[in-house]
Amino acid sequence: MKKHNFNPGPAILPEYAINETIAAMKDFAGTGLSILEVSHRSKEFEAVVNETVALFKEVMNIPEGYAVILVGGGASTQFFHVPYNLLEKKAAYLVTGEWATRAYKEAKLFGEVEVVASSEDKKFTYIPKDYTIPADADYFHITTNNTIFGTEILHDIDSPVPLVADMSSDICSRPVDVSKYGLIYAGAQKNIGAAGLTVVIVKESLLGKVSRPLPTMVDYRTHIKNNSLFNTPPVLNVFVTMMTLRWIKEIGGLTEIEKRNKAKAELIYNEIDRNKCFVGTVVKEDRSRMNACFVMAPGYEQYEEEFAKFAASRGMVGIKGHRSVGGFRASMYNALPLESVQALVDCMQEFEASH
Ligand SMILES: *Cc1c(COP(=O)(O)O)cnc(C)c1O
């Protein structure tokens, strides 16, 4: 039976990227060796790094003055790398969920941190809009998509201080005006690759301003200077991301990706709102296009387990909600086809008809 992969992360990848990776595991770039067996300093692998960086610049339309670096450690490592490199006196954070909270806690180790607004009062079910970004902050940190609770900031914020964004779960899901950001980081395993690789896009003029000494691996300038080859990067993961970006470019870039993501989100949310058995969990205007969270409607709570089993029997994978929210979460990252969302909607409609 066909599987419909709604996993929240690691998550679905384009078949093209999977197939190309399998081929490179056997014979990488005509070397006769697996990509796992060659030097990261070989000209063949250096070409992979160069193409990956060039594809990021092209697909995301990254302006001059920004560097793209590929590092290990996951987005969680960036939670402290960012303040390490940028926080001299004070930083500002918008707290919109679990990941934003973790980022904020790490920053507190490095200086004063102001929470400009938080949606914790309503269990992170909305994006705060009424706040002032302090003009004396070294940077303002946001988490563009709240992966766990299902809210998303779908526009590029105007900030008087450098804007830093954790885009782990919505990078490359829509065109973004990179010039409005000072730094963007993302773990690859949701929208652009496999677990283990993190991309950091940074405006170079922001670096070198803090007075604390920086360990070599923490200093972004190390990776910029060495073309992300100061140490051994997660080579296979870089390759997966290169192929994922090639696929994005091939199908029409972020304009096409956004069109597809909007269509998927509209389909699932229309059904959540129409179906008597289910109800959404966040305010409508802040709904995430990446992670649609919903629970059983009042009066139908006792059927949660039954629906989970029914959906699984139809090939739905990964729709169980995060343990802190319960219910269901359909993660619809770039590579998920519309037909998978339609298959889930069909399940919801059949379930409704029999209850
Ligand atoms: C998944 C996720 C993270 C954590 O990423 P790791 O690579 O596991 O460290 C951080 N931020 C957001 C928004 C996420 O969705």
Side-chain angles (χ1 to χ4, degrees), residues 73-77 79 99 143 145 147 166-169 187 189-190 198:
S76 301
T77 298
F79 293 167
W99 296 115
T143 308
N145 184 59
T147 324
D166 174 1
M167 292 195 183
S168 292
S169 53
Q189 69 273 23
K190 281 140 191 165
T198 312

Side-chain angles (χ1 to χ4, degrees), residues 223-236:
H223 304 287
I224 296 173
K225 230 182 294 162
N226 293 282
N227 193 27
S228 298
L229 291 167
F230 172 73
N231 74 323
T232 321
V235 288
L236 187 65

Side-chain angles (χ1 to χ4, degrees), residues 199-210:
V199 59
V200 180
I201 300 160
V202 59
K203 194 174 190 170
E204 292 190 63
S205 60
L206 298 178
L207 301 176
K209 292 187 174 169
V210 290

Side-chain angles (χ1 to χ4, degrees), residues 248-321:
I248 291 175
K249 183 182 161 183
E250 172 68 28
I251 64 167
L254 298 188
T255 311
E256 172 63 21
I257 286 277
E258 181 179 44
K259 210 171 96 193
R260 294 182 184 194
N261 287 337
K262 273 186 179 168
K264 289 183 281 177
E266 209 176 289
L267 183 58
I268 189 80
Y269 285 120
N270 282 345
E271 182 58 23
I272 291 168
D273 291 341
R274 190 208 58 75
N275 194 307
K276 70 174 188 210
C277 299
F278 305 98
V279 60
T281 53
V282 305
V283 303
K284 288 187 183 177
E285 63 177 11
D286 296 325
R287 280 173 161 174
S288 166
R289 282 184 200 147
M290 299 287 102
N291 314 92
C293 295
F294 55 101
V295 294
M296 302 310 292
Y300 292 89
E301 293 93 340
Q302 68 271 33
Y303 299 117
E304 182 170 318
E305 189 57 34
E306 191 187 331
F307 179 71
K309 283 193 178 134
F310 174 65
S313 78
R314 293 297 175 90
M316 305 303 135
V317 175
I319 61 167
K320 190 174 164 51

